């Protein structure tokens, strides 16, 4: 199914633009997709359609200062750390969109790449109802969005999947390995590739990984 453009408003009054990929079943599980920097919501297009085919509603957003959202397409270049940290409100607005559609937190997964991965884990750690997150190329600290403590806060019933690119992305690989060991989740997965790129670039170089992630998410929600 083709996506449609939606506009969201954050609690601090930013307009956030997203691509919404719906499925026919209204109360199906949902996924919020958070891009890396610099990137836009379009970086999730192929994976969003894959999840759509698996039965998930998907909402890929442009973070503030990126793409079509307020301050975009390149306002993020002038951001300070506090501006980046406020992007968690963008994630919140996407989650609230699904809640208004009658989809509870228990059926919403948060998926992010790079700084988006940090935002995903931060959000999951603050909302125990969120069952799952996927972190592509997380970092201990991206612009003040620190996630080591967040990993420790996860409950045993909150699933998480870490992925990183190996030697080509040493910082994210070190982060993913350490966070994997810290998380107390009963369903935690990790995949370290050999010499692939960062964030959603992994999908371009290892397209079968999209199927692996879709199957993992399906096993949680269906």
């Amino acid at each position: 199914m083709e996506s449609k453009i939606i506009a969201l408003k954050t609690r601090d009054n930013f307009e956030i633009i997203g691509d919404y990929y719906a499925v026919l079943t209204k109360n199906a599980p949902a996924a919020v997709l958070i891009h890396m920097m610099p990137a836009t919501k379009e970086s999730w297009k192929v994976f969003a359609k894959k999840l759509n085919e698996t039965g998930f509603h998907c909402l890929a957003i442009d973070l503030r200062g990126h793409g079509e959202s307020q301050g975009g397409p390149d306002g993020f270049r002038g951001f300070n750390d506090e501006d980046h940290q406020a992007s968690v409100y963008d994630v919140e607005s996407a989650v609230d969109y699904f809640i208004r559609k009658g989809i509870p937190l228990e059926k919403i997964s948060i998926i992010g790449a790079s700084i988006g991965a940090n935002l995903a884990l931060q959000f999951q750690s603050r909302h125990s109802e969120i069952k799952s997150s996927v972190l592509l190329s997380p970092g201990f600290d991206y612009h003040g969005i620190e996630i080591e403590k967040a990993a420790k806060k996860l409950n045993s019933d909150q699933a998480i999947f870490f992925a990183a690119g190996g030697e080509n992305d040493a910082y994210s690989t070190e982060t993913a390995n350490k966070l994997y060991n810290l998380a107390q989740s009963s369903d935690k997965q990790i995949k370290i590739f050999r010499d692939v790129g960062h964030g959603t670039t992994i999908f371009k170089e290892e397209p079968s990984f999209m199927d692996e992630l879709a199957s993992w998410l399906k096993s949680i929600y269906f």
Side-chain angles (χ1 to χ4, degrees):
M1 189 175 292
E2 289 302 312
S3 65
K4 68 175 183 178
I5 297 290
I6 62 164
L8 309 168
K9 208 71 166 178
T10 67
R11 68 162 74 186
D12 59 346
N13 212 35
F14 268 76
E15 184 177 68
I16 301 301
I17 304 301
D19 285 336
Y20 178 49
Y21 303 77
V23 292
L24 294 177
T25 306
K26 289 185 177 180
N27 65 345
V32 173
L33 307 174
I34 316 163
H35 62 76
M36 60 184 178
M37 183 179 70
T40 63
K41 60 188 183 304
E42 284 77 20
S43 61
W44 292 105
K45 188 173 184 178
V46 177
F47 184 58
K49 289 185 176 181
K50 179 76 64 175
L51 283 182
N52 225 203
E53 293 167 1
T54 307
F56 287 80
H57 299 287
C58 291
L59 177 54
I61 61 171
D62 278 335
L63 294 171
R64 61 187 62 199
H66 295 76
E68 298 177 76
S69 288
Q70 186 173 332
D74 58 2
F76 69 91
R77 298 186 188 279
F79 278 9
N80 59 30
D81 283 359
E82 288 185 356
D83 294 325
H84 285 292
Q85 291 160 28
S87 296
V88 71
Y89 299 137
D90 308 347
V91 181
E92 179 184 67
S93 70
V95 170
D96 286 345
Y97 177 80
F98 284 128
I99 290 174
R100 290 195 301 273
K101 285 184 165 293
I103 301 171
L105 281 173
E106 293 84 357
K107 298 180 75 172
I108 300 172
S109 180
I110 314 293
I111 302 171
S114 192
I115 195 170
N118 283 32
L119 289 166
L121 178 52
Q122 181 187 73
F123 193 88
Q124 185 187 23
S125 73
R126 294 176 179 178
H127 298 83
S128 60
E129 303 94 334
I130 296 286
K131 278 187 180 181
S132 73
S133 66
V134 175
L135 276 58
L136 307 179
S137 306
F140 292 118
D141 182 350
Y142 287 138
H143 295 287
I145 304 169
E146 301 176 10
I147 55 173
E148 195 167 332
K149 290 180 180 178
K152 295 177 182 177
K153 283 179 62 179
L154 293 181
N155 296 327
S156 62
D157 61 349
Q158 289 183 286
I160 189 164
F161 201 124
F162 302 95
E167 291 182 7
N168 278 1
D169 196 1
Y171 180 59
S172 292
T173 298
E174 179 189 1
T175 300
N177 279 316
K178 184 168 184 179
L179 296 184
Y180 175 82
N181 290 325
L182 288 175
Q184 299 301 307
S185 306
S186 58
D187 184 357
K188 58 180 181 178
Q189 309 290 326
I190 187 168
K191 188 146 194 175
I192 305 299
F193 293 90
R194 291 189 63 183
D195 304 329
V196 301
H198 185 79
T200 42
T201 306
I202 293 172
F203 291 153
K204 295 179 180 179
E205 299 182 31
E206 297 284 347
S208 64
F209 184 49
M210 289 186 285
D211 296 296
E212 183 177 344
L213 284 178
S215 295
W216 180 73
L217 289 165
K218 183 177 180 180
S219 73
I220 294 171
Y221 294 97
F222 290 94

